[in-house]
Amino acid sequence: MIYERIKGLGNGVIGGWRTASPSARKLEAVADELGLSVDYLLKGDQAMATA
């Protein structure tokens, strides 16, 4: 995935999150690249509803 290469994550790291939880550092790197908050990545639209 392109975000893995841009943020220096190993190949397949994001796909591996289907069965294992990401570290806070890796999740933050992806959120930063997407211009989203970590909270939004974790909760989706629920994060916006409670803000």
Side-chain angles (χ1 to χ4, degrees):
M1 178 173 256
I2 193 164
Y3 299 114
E4 291 170 332
R5 284 181 264 153
I6 290 170
K7 287 306 209 179
L9 302 175
N11 189 31
V13 168
I14 294 174
W17 294 349
R18 289 185 197 109
T19 57
S21 297
S23 70
R25 181 190 64 78
K26 290 177 181 177
L27 191 57
E28 187 174 21
V30 172
D32 182 55
E33 183 61 34
L34 295 173
L36 301 169
S37 69
V38 172
D39 196 43
Y40 184 81
L41 288 180
L42 294 172
K43 298 179 183 177
D45 289 337
Q46 289 178 340
M48 298 300 286
T50 59

